[in-house]
Amino acid sequence: QSALTQPPSASGSPGQSVTISCSGTSSDVGGYNYVSWYQQYPGKAPKLMIYEVTKRPSGVPDRFSGSKSGNTASLTVSGLQAEDEADYYCSSYAGRNMGVFGTGTKVTVL
Amino acid sequence: EVQLVESGGGLVQPGGSLRLSCAASGFTFRTYWMHWVRQAPGQGPVWVSRIKNDGDITSYADSVKGRFTISRDNAKNTLYLQMNSLRAEDTAVYFCAREGPTLTFHFDLWGRGTLVTVSS
């Protein structure tokens, strides 16, 4: 169960877009449409932002969108706002009733 | 209010045991699959364990298999994690999390976490 690979950091100015990648294998990201994304502020619990690759829970702004191609999933935050500055983690079902998280990306709003 | 509240964390010596609890409220606990996820200081979350809504099916990360046991009491709306043979690398904040109703391994509700520190 190796962690999914994310870039350590990403940044953008207010109003711009930032895209975070999440690289896995055919046994996790590539094998199932069960990728989810979480936003986490320091000292707080993660919050679900995207599930089943592209779906947004109620209350999550439509500035957040997800996609997947092969073994790599992506989260795009459009129209960056100051409150989007946080850590973001991807997660995927990995078969055999097990899951795996990504290494995390710190998003900075310049 | 829909919430999960963990308890039971603390300082324990290597080789020791600890039982975590997660009290659920505001939703029909018995209908949801539940998970434990941990996060070491400065690190990302790591999935630990999963249990079916009726407790019949459980699964574990390889790193805790044989040492940790997940269970639940639906009459008490409570999830548990029994942790034995604890190691320094088990030090982390432990979150309980609810799996979404579509059963696609996403976590739509999280507790605030309880800190477990394994140290002599």
Side-chain angles (χ1 to χ4, degrees):
Chain A
Q1 296 160 331
S2 298
L4 307 174
T5 302
Q6 298 179 231
S9 63
S11 62
S13 300
Q16 290 186 332
S17 295
V18 64
T19 297
I20 303 165
S21 61
C22 169
S23 179
T25 70
S26 59
S27 296
D28 40 61
V29 174
Y32 312 91
N33 286 324
Y34 294 174
V35 176
S36 51
W37 290 90
Y38 302 87
Q39 177 190 65
Q40 187 178 34
Y41 295 114
K44 300 296 186 181
K47 174 189 174 184
L48 178 67
M49 304 301 284
I50 295 287
Y51 67 102
E52 294 172 15
V53 181
T54 61
K55 297 178 180 178
R56 266 190 323 276
S58 174
V60 172
D62 59 6
R63 303 184 292 102
F64 291 85
S65 62
S67 63
K68 191 185 86 167
S69 178
N71 297 338
T72 299
S74 298
L75 173 72
T76 297
V77 186
S78 305
L80 266 175
Q81 298 183 5
E83 59 261 36
D84 299 332
E85 186 161 297
D87 294 324
Y88 292 83
Y89 296 94
C90 60
S91 178
S92 175
Y93 179 59
R96 298 185 298 139
N97 277 312
M98 294 193 288
V100 61
F101 280 89
T103 51
T105 299
K106 181 175 181 58
V107 169
T108 301
V109 181
L110 302 172
Chain B
E1 181 185 1
V2 176
Q3 64 177 355
L4 299 169
V5 179
E6 302 92 338
S7 61
L11 175 63
V12 60
Q13 293 188 338
S17 297
L18 212 55
R19 188 176 84 153
L20 306 183
S21 299
C22 169
S25 59
F27 65 97
T28 309
F29 178 71
R30 67 178 184 275
T31 65
Y32 286 88
W33 293 52
M34 297 294 296
H35 298 250
W36 287 99
V37 175
R38 70 185 181 184
Q39 188 169 25
Q43 305 296 313
V46 174
W47 177 81
V48 172
S49 184
R50 183 196 200 196
I51 187 166
K52 188 171 177 280
N53 62 311
D54 61 6
D56 275 2
I57 297 174
T58 60
S59 55
Y60 300 91
D62 290 344
S63 58
V64 307
K65 199 172 296 182
R67 300 188 299 122
F68 289 13
T69 302
I70 190 172
S71 62
R72 63 192 297 162
D73 185 335
N74 286 344
K76 295 182 177 180
N77 290 335
T78 303
L79 175 72
Y80 301 101
L81 185 67
Q82 176 67 43
M83 304 186 296
N84 298 331
S85 303
L86 282 161
R87 307 166 180 167
E89 53 265 36
D90 295 318
T91 294
V93 174
Y94 285 73
F95 297 98
C96 64
R98 185 181 76 178
E99 183 168 344
T102 55
L103 297 183
T104 55
F105 230 94
H106 65 274
F107 315 110
D108 67 355
L109 179 66
W110 295 69
R112 299 177 70 173
T114 186
L115 176 62
V116 172
T117 303
V118 184
S119 175
S120 54

